[in-house]
């Protein structure tokens, strides 16, 4: 109360509007910003390469990359490269992800399996799968077998980790509820554990599938005549930047499409989330 | 070329003396980075460095080692390396087309009658009847990447025999060897110092010589950045002079045996500092001696072979059709010939 | 069907949670378990429901379950425990599916329990669309669907605000008056206990022992907030519990 006397000397301050200090920290959907960033970047590169400010050794002209892409499309080579790559991706990722989910669920449900497999998974997770490619060639043959195996192996471990983490995170009270209503073990797993773990499994799949695309290039290092990865590697060896970038763009598009597909699945399956 | 003739006629000491006489004309100790692989075929650079031929030429050379030819070519293009020796490849031509590099001389070449690259068959394929290159039809052929020298060789052999082979890109020599040993691929071609020990182990079989199909094949070339080739002519000449001396020491000692066994032993000691360093000397020596191949004296360049390679790369759509020989080669530094 | 507890004791490791509890839960009555927090009342409920095994003593079922009973001992949880990915209808059918009840028979049961809990209009709603009170009514409907012999209610109203709690208590009262059910009702709220309990069992602080068993004879449909009998019972219970509650409150966790 001491300062009431001092404030008497000055005229009392007029009403001051409270300063706004909230806001921010709440990401909102601004999809067009991403598009603008892309367009500006590509325009800048086009201008730079056109004027010679960027040497042809540094970056290819975006228009030339587009032309290369057009040639790929017209000659039908695009599908000749895409078809084996997509097959490898689908088969490899399907094998890896389904095995990963199965093992992850088993680890999540059984203490013995957990004790036995978690250290093993932790041990194989950091192995660069590419390093094992020569070994896979011996085990599974130089043709499709080793490629499926590499992609499957690469997607397996992150799926396992994501899945058992997701199973661990399933609300225990729901499981207790299932038990209290006398549901069978199998019913509890199928109707409570699996749907409850689905958000975690799907976000794990997002990462696993991106890894599958990365490994596609690695898988096509050995003995692949056709395939997007083989195409990129060949372009790199020939220092053909237009083809290299065309290939990389295809991989990026593949990534965006896969992520979109998972997004759609998430919206369909996980509409119940608040 | 004058330097070439002189080096041929002068002895070792004489050459060193001659260049040290010429040295004062050039600024001393210009820093130059030379790229190399740890192969005996790069001995020219090792000898020139160890025996001071680069110093004599007024160059302060630093060797930079690479695992493969491809990154070395990129390092030249980026200016991290000034000179290097590597096999002709689609990548090299592509970089030349982008105005980044120039071929300025020749190194390893095939010559009929001299031990050169071997065509290999896996044991399984050999037992199934792949005993000669004419049996290659429908077989798989190993290569590092499309547009590599392996691709060129295999394709040329197949063309000559009128057969179709399937190429398997395996990126690395180690991977190709593994695939060949385990029978994942049927055939391959490689320099003798790798081919012979492989065949000796019984896991693969030598079924032919590349020189029978590509006589005079210019396997590796000396190359530099386009900037060095056009703007640093003196330095480039000096490098070639030093490198050339190293090469002629190598040829005279290892092939012509001018210095007898002692000379060979001394040379093996020198090369062993750079090649097979992880093996003891007695184990490295046979490999080094086995790997002996003639390197072009004076870095002369077989322009006919380069032309043939360029045309083949173009016919396979691996490099642009509009690339001319002059874009790739600067023939003003060394003697060129049509072999 | 009656439930009898025979000198139940329970320990978690070295911590004794319950000591020598013997109690009868007669058919058609609501037995409330009250006590300070941490006295083991929820543990006792889980022991009765078979979700945990007592260290000593037995829980006995006396007599047979009513006809059509799918799950004699049925829980209603404080946090509702609804599957968020199933609709109201789906959550109820979950507990029927495993007993082989599907199709028309399941539909009839679901419609019946939804009508009894006044949820018929929300059959297809997802839990995230419902308020807390609605969610608990779904949980109660789900419990009713299996036609339980005994309902084991673990602080069913504690997660709700006081107005909703009042409404749901009214709902429970009218449910019981239409069709009396047996229930063990755990709560720390004395108002709920005097409103719903035929018998109120007061537990002491840990280790939980039965301190007092209070019976209220006023029929539960006749009780109201200002009822003097209920108020006296409430005060009596509070006298019994005050010291225990204070001591329990001052105890160190894990201390």
């Amino acid at each position: 109360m001491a300062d009431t006397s001092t404030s008497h000397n000055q005229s009392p301050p007029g009403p001051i509007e409270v300063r706004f200090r909230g806001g921010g920290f709440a990401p909102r959907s601004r999809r067009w910003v991403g598009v603008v960033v892309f367009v500006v970047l590509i325009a800048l590169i086009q201008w730079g390469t056109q004027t010679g400010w960027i040497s042809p050794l540094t970056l290819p002209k975006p228009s030339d990359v587009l032309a290369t892409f057009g040639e790929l499309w017209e000659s039908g080579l695009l599908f000749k490269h895409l078809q084996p790559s997509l097959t490898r991706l689908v088969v490899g990722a399907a094998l890896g992800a389904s095995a990963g989910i199965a093992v992850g669920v088993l680890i999540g449900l059984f203490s013995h399996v957990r004790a036995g497999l978690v250290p093993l998974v932790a041990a194989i997770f950091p192995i660069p799968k590419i390093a094992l490619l020569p070994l896979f060639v011996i085990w599974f043959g130089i043709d499709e077998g080793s490629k499926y195996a590499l992609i499957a192996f690469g997607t397996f471990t992150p799926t396992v980790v994501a899945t058992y983490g997701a199973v661990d995170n399933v609300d225990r009270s729901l499981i207790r509820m299932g038990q209290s209503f006398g549901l069978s073990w199998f019913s509890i797993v199928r109707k409570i554990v699996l749907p409850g773990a689905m958000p975690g499994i799907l976000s794990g799949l997002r990462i696993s599938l991106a890894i599958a695309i990365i490994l596609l290039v690695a898988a096509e290092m050995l003995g692949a005549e056709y395939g997007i990865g083989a195409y990129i590697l060949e372009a790199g060896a020939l220092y053909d930047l237009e083809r290299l970038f065309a290939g990389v763009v295809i991989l990026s598009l593949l990534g965006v499409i896969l992520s979109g597909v998972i997004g759609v699945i998430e919206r369909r399956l996980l509409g119940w989330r608040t | 070329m004058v330097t070439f003739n002189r080096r041929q006629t002068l002895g070792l000491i004489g050459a060193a003396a001659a260049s040290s006489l010429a040295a004062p004309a050039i600024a001393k100790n210009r820093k130059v980075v030379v790229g190399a692989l740890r192969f005996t075929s790069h001995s020219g650079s090792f000898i020139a460095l160890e025996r001071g031929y680069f110093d004599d030429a007024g160059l302060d050379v630093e060797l930079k080692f690479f695992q493969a030819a491809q990154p070395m070519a990129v390092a030249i293009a980026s200016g991290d390396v000034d000179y290097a020796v590597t096999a002709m490849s689609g990548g090299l031509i592509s970089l030349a087309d982008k105005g980044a590099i120039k071929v300025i001389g020749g190194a390893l070449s095939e010559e009929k009658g001299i031990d050169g690259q071997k065509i290999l068959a896996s044991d399984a394929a050999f037992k199934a009847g792949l005993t000669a290159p004419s049996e290659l039809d429908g077989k798989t052929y190993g290569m590092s990447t499309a547009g590599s020298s392996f691709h060129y060789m295999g394709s040329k052999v197949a063309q000559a025999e009128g057969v179709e082979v399937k190429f398997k890109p395996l990126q690395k020599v180690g991977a190709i060897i593994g695939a060949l040993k385990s029978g994942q691929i049927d055939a391959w071609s490689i320099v003798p110092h790798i081919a012979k020990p492989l065949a000796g182990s019984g896991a693969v079989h030598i079924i032919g010589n590349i020189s029978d199909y590509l006589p005079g094949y210019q396997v590796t070339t000396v190359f530099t950045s386009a900037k060095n080739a056009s703007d640093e002519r003196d330095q480039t000449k000096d490098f070639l002079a030093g490198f050339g001396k190293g090469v002629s020491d190598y040829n005279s000692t290892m092939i012509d045996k001018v210095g007898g066994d002692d000379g060979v032993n001394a040379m093996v000691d020198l090369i062993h500092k750079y090649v097979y360093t992880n093996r003891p000397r007695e184990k490295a020596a046979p490999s080094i001696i086995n790997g002996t191949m003639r390197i072009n004296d004076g870095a002369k360049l077989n322009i006919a072979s380069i032309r043939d390679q360029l045309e083949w790369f173009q016919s396979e759509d691996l490099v642009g059709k509009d690339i001319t020989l002059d874009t790739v080669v600067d023939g003003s530094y060394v003697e060129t010939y049509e072999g | 069907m009656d439930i009898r507890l025979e000198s139940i004791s329970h320990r978690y490791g070295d911590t004794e949670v319950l000591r020598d509890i013997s109690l009868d839960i007669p058919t058609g009555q609501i037995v409330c378990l009250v006590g300070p927090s941490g006295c083991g009342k929820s543990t006792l409920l889980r022991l009765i429901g078979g979700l945990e095994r007592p260290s000593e003593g037995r829980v006995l079922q006396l007599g047979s379950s009513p006809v059509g009973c799918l799950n004699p001992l049925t829980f209603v949880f404080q946090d509702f425990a609804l599957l968020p990915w199933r609709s109201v209808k789906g959550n109820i059918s979950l507990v029927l599916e495993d007993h082989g009840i599907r199709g028309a028979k399941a539909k009839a049961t679901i419609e019946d329990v939804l009508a009894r809990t006044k949820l018929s209009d929300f059959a297809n709603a997802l839990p995230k669309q419902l308020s807390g009170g609605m969610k608990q009514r779904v949980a109660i409907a789900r419990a009713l669907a299996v036609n339980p012999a005994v309902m084991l209610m673990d602080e069913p109203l504690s997660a709700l605000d006081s107005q909703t709690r009042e409404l749901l208590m009214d709902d429970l009262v009218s449910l019981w008056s239409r069709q009396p059910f047996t229930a063990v009702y755990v709560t720390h709220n004395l108002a709920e206990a005097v409103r719903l309990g035929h018998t109120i069992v007061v537990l002491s602080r840990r280790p939980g022992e039965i301190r007092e068993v209070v019976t209220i004879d006023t029929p539960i449909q006749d009780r109201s907030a200002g009822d003097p009998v209920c108020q006296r019972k409430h005060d009596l219970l509070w006298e019994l519990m005050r010291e225990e509650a204070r001591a329990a409150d001052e105890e160190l966790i894990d201390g």
Side-chain angles (χ1 to χ4, degrees):
Chain A
M1 284 292 117
D3 42 356
T4 37
S5 57
T6 51
S7 66
H8 266 297
N9 300 339
Q10 293 140 5
S11 57
I16 303 170
E17 194 181 354
V18 171
R19 189 171 56 87
F20 176 67
R21 49 187 178 174
F25 303 102
R28 261 176 288 178
S29 180
R30 294 248 195 279
R31 205 164 283 186
W32 53 272
V33 179
V35 177
V36 168
V37 169
F38 266 106
V39 168
V40 167
L41 202 64
I42 290 170
L44 209 66
I45 294 170
Q46 177 72 27
W47 173 79
T49 44
Q50 201 96 49
T51 55
W53 178 62
I54 300 172
S55 89
L57 206 58
T58 315
L59 279 176
K61 270 188 209 154
S63 56
D64 286 352
V65 174
L66 196 69
T68 308
F69 201 80
E71 278 166 33
L72 264 180
W73 177 278
E74 269 166 30
S75 61
L77 267 177
L78 180 63
F79 295 99
K80 213 164 174 181
H81 284 299
L82 261 182
Q83 193 258 329
S85 282
L86 287 179
T87 312
R88 284 164 196 151
L89 211 55
V90 169
V91 174
L95 286 174
S98 48
I101 291 172
V103 171
V105 169
L106 290 179
I107 289 178
L109 292 177
F110 300 107
S111 309
H112 278 93
V113 180
R114 175 183 299 252
L117 290 187
V118 167
L120 186 68
V121 169
I124 58 175
F125 204 173
I127 298 174
K129 311 301 177 289
I130 299 163
L132 296 179
L133 187 54
L135 192 66
F136 284 171
V137 168
I138 308 279
W139 289 355
F140 303 106
I142 201 158
D143 296 318
E144 298 307 303
S146 59
K147 296 174 182 65
Y148 295 156
L150 183 76
I151 295 173
F153 198 47
T155 47
F156 173 72
T157 36
T159 311
V160 170
V161 173
T163 304
Y164 82 70
V167 171
D168 287 351
N169 274 334
V170 172
D171 196 344
R172 295 293 119 167
S173 67
L174 294 182
I175 295 175
R176 211 156 3 98
M177 180 277 292
Q179 291 172 327
S180 79
F181 278 97
L183 266 59
S184 68
W185 180 88
F186 185 71
S187 282
I188 290 176
V189 171
R190 193 164 62 89
K191 294 172 184 170
I192 299 176
V193 174
L194 279 184
M198 200 48 84
I201 293 175
L202 282 179
S203 64
L205 269 188
R206 236 176 231 285
I207 294 164
S208 307
L209 290 180
I211 290 174
I213 295 178
I214 293 171
L215 286 176
L216 178 66
V217 179
E220 291 180 353
M221 272 172 43
L222 290 193
E225 219 176 327
Y226 291 104
I228 300 300
Y231 180 79
I232 290 174
L233 288 164
E234 185 185 313
L238 293 171
Y239 215 79
D240 189 331
L241 292 182
E242 287 81 16
R243 289 190 211 180
L244 182 72
F245 271 72
V248 169
V249 167
I250 295 173
L251 282 192
S252 296
L253 285 177
L254 216 56
V256 170
I257 291 169
L258 264 181
S259 162
V261 167
I262 293 180
V264 169
I265 293 173
E266 277 183 345
R267 270 194 296 281
R268 278 192 64 88
L269 285 187
L270 307 180
W272 49 268
R273 281 192 301 187
T274 42
Chain B
M1 263 198 142
V2 183
T3 49
F4 169 63
N5 289 330
R6 188 176 60 194
R7 216 177 15 259
Q8 263 197 331
T9 49
L10 286 181
L12 211 143
I13 299 155
S19 60
S20 53
L21 280 177
I26 331 155
K28 272 274 179 191
N29 294 328
R30 275 159 304 154
K31 181 104 180 135
V32 165
V33 181
V34 174
L37 305 179
R38 293 186 182 275
F39 287 155
T40 42
S41 52
H42 288 249
S43 294
S45 304
F46 307 149
I47 297 165
L49 182 69
E50 287 286 321
R51 296 199 168 158
Y53 300 152
F54 285 135
D55 289 342
D56 296 344
L59 301 175
D60 179 10
V61 165
E62 181 202 333
L63 283 182
K64 206 177 173 81
F65 288 97
F66 288 85
Q67 297 292 322
Q70 167 71 11
M72 201 156 69
V74 176
I76 292 259
S78 70
D80 293 314
V81 170
D82 294 300
Y83 303 96
V85 174
T86 187
M88 276 293 287
S89 65
L92 210 63
I93 295 171
S94 199
L95 284 170
D97 180 40
K98 291 189 160 63
I101 63 153
K102 280 277 188 207
V103 170
I104 53 169
L108 209 61
S109 57
E110 290 287 339
E111 216 176 308
K112 256 202 166 116
I114 290 183
D115 219 11
Q117 302 196 68
K118 303 292 181 194
I119 303 168
L120 299 174
S122 73
D123 192 45
F126 186 81
K127 291 205 171 111
L130 179 57
T131 52
S134 55
E135 306 291 328
L136 274 170
D137 198 31
K139 301 293 188 220
T140 53
Y141 198 96
M143 63 176 183
S144 51
T145 57
S148 61
S149 55
F150 305 115
H151 192 189
Y152 171 71
M153 285 187 276
S155 178
K156 282 291 185 176
V157 171
Q159 205 179 318
E161 293 289 356
V163 296
E164 289 275 338
V165 297
K166 267 181 79 132
F167 288 97
K168 290 273 177 192
L170 295 161
Q171 313 307 324
K172 286 183 194 139
V173 168
I176 306 177
I177 293 174
L180 192 68
K181 276 183 171 172
S182 60
Q184 304 279 356
I185 55 169
D186 300 322
W188 187 38
S189 50
I190 188 62
V191 287
H193 71 273
I194 294 175
K196 286 178 189 169
L198 278 176
S201 71
V204 302
H205 302 269
I206 293 173
I207 58 167
N209 289 307
I210 288 294
S211 60
D212 293 340
Y213 297 90
L214 293 164
Y217 170 33
Q218 186 70 62
V219 184
T220 63
T221 59
V222 184
F223 66 104
T224 184
S225 65
K227 198 170 139 290
N228 277 347
S230 61
D231 303 345
E232 301 281 351
R233 290 198 63 86
D234 287 341
Q235 178 191 305
T236 305
K237 272 183 196 155
D238 293 339
F239 167 76
L240 284 168
F243 176 75
K245 263 181 253 167
V247 167
S248 48
D249 272 17
Y250 178 79
N251 285 341
S252 62
T253 312
M254 299 300 286
I255 296 174
D256 305 333
K257 306 250 165 69
V258 171
D261 283 348
D262 289 345
V264 171
N265 279 330
M267 190 60 85
V268 167
D269 283 341
L270 191 160
I271 296 173
H272 183 232
K273 286 186 187 172
Y274 298 98
V275 182
Y276 302 125
T277 48
N278 54 350
R279 296 191 214 167
R281 200 252 178 217
E282 61 271 21
K283 282 199 176 157
S287 298
I288 292 171
I289 294 166
N290 258 331
T292 304
M293 269 178 93
R294 190 179 286 280
I295 306 174
N296 291 7
D297 264 322
K300 62 180 179 174
L301 183 68
N302 182 352
I303 203 78
S305 171
I306 299 294
R307 188 183 301 119
D308 182 64
Q309 293 183 51
L310 175 61
E311 282 166 4
W312 178 81
F313 284 119
Q314 288 174 329
S315 72
E316 291 286 308
D317 198 25
L318 293 163
V319 299
K321 297 253 192 287
D322 49 352
I323 301 172
T324 63
L325 199 56
D326 289 340
T327 314
V328 180
V329 178
D330 184 339
S332 66
Y333 285 96
V334 299
E335 188 185 328
T336 58
Y337 65 101
E338 303 265 339
Chain C
M1 186 181 87
D2 298 354
I3 298 280
R4 173 171 296 162
L5 310 185
E6 281 189 357
S7 47
I8 300 272
S9 294
H10 196 60
R11 267 179 294 277
Y12 291 121
D14 292 335
T15 316
E16 194 179 15
V17 196
L18 293 167
R19 184 185 288 170
D20 193 29
I21 295 196
S22 296
L23 185 68
D24 275 322
I25 296 147
T27 305
Q29 286 211 2
I30 299 177
V31 175
C32 287
L33 294 177
V34 296
S37 56
C39 72
K41 49 193 188 297
S42 290
T43 305
L44 185 58
L45 197 71
R46 285 200 293 276
L47 295 174
I48 297 171
L51 290 181
E52 283 182 54
R53 228 188 288 267
S55 306
E56 281 159 47
R58 295 186 302 170
V59 180
L60 300 172
Q61 301 183 12
L62 307 176
S64 56
S65 335
V67 188
C69 169
L70 302 174
N71 189 44
L73 303 169
T74 296
F75 277 87
V76 174
F77 298 96
Q78 179 179 353
D79 58 4
F80 325 130
L82 300 177
L83 301 185
W85 51 88
R86 283 189 178 227
S87 64
V88 168
K89 212 164 62 182
N91 264 289
I92 299 169
S93 89
L94 172 82
V95 300
L96 299 174
E97 287 160 16
D98 257 48
H99 299 285
I101 295 172
R102 289 193 170 75
K105 203 173 162 205
K107 196 162 171 264
T109 307
I110 293 167
E111 273 168 13
D112 172 51
V113 294
L114 286 181
R116 277 158 71 189
T117 48
K118 294 178 253 172
L119 282 168
S120 300
D121 294 340
F122 305 97
N124 294 312
L126 282 174
K128 70 168 177 180
Q129 298 169 286
L130 303 176
S131 67
M134 296 271 275
K135 281 182 196 163
Q136 195 55 291
R137 270 155 57 195
V138 176
I140 292 166
R142 177 178 61 189
L144 293 173
V146 292
N147 199 12
V150 179
M151 293 244 261
L152 304 171
M153 310 179 89
D154 189 1
E155 309 224 17
L157 308 184
S158 298
L160 307 174
D161 62 70
S162 55
Q163 290 93 332
T164 315
R165 207 180 299 161
E166 285 297 327
L167 293 174
L168 259 157
M169 271 195 273
D170 289 344
D171 288 346
L172 285 174
V173 168
S174 67
L175 266 177
W176 189 88
S177 353
R178 258 182 290 149
Q179 192 179 338
F181 53 85
T182 318
V184 182
Y185 188 108
V186 167
T187 183
H188 62 265
N189 184 318
L190 297 181
E192 281 173 39
V194 294
R195 184 77 194 282
L196 297 170
H198 296 93
T199 308
I200 298 162
V201 178
V202 183
L203 294 180
S204 68
R205 72 193 159 98
R206 198 169 65 202
E209 288 177 282
I210 295 178
R211 262 206 79 185
E212 192 79 60
V213 176
V214 177
T215 52
I216 302 178
D217 297 327
T218 320
I220 64 170
Q221 56 271 42
D222 298 340
R223 300 177 193 174
S224 65
D227 185 79
V229 180
C230 287
Q231 192 56 49
R232 265 205 314 282
K233 295 285 184 188
H234 182 278
D235 296 344
L236 171 66
L237 286 167
W238 179 230
E239 278 310 311
L240 284 167
M241 272 182 66
R242 192 206 298 268
E243 282 312 307
E244 296 280 355
R246 176 169 297 145
D249 187 48
E250 285 167 1
E251 241 172 65
L252 282 175
I253 293 169
D254 292 325

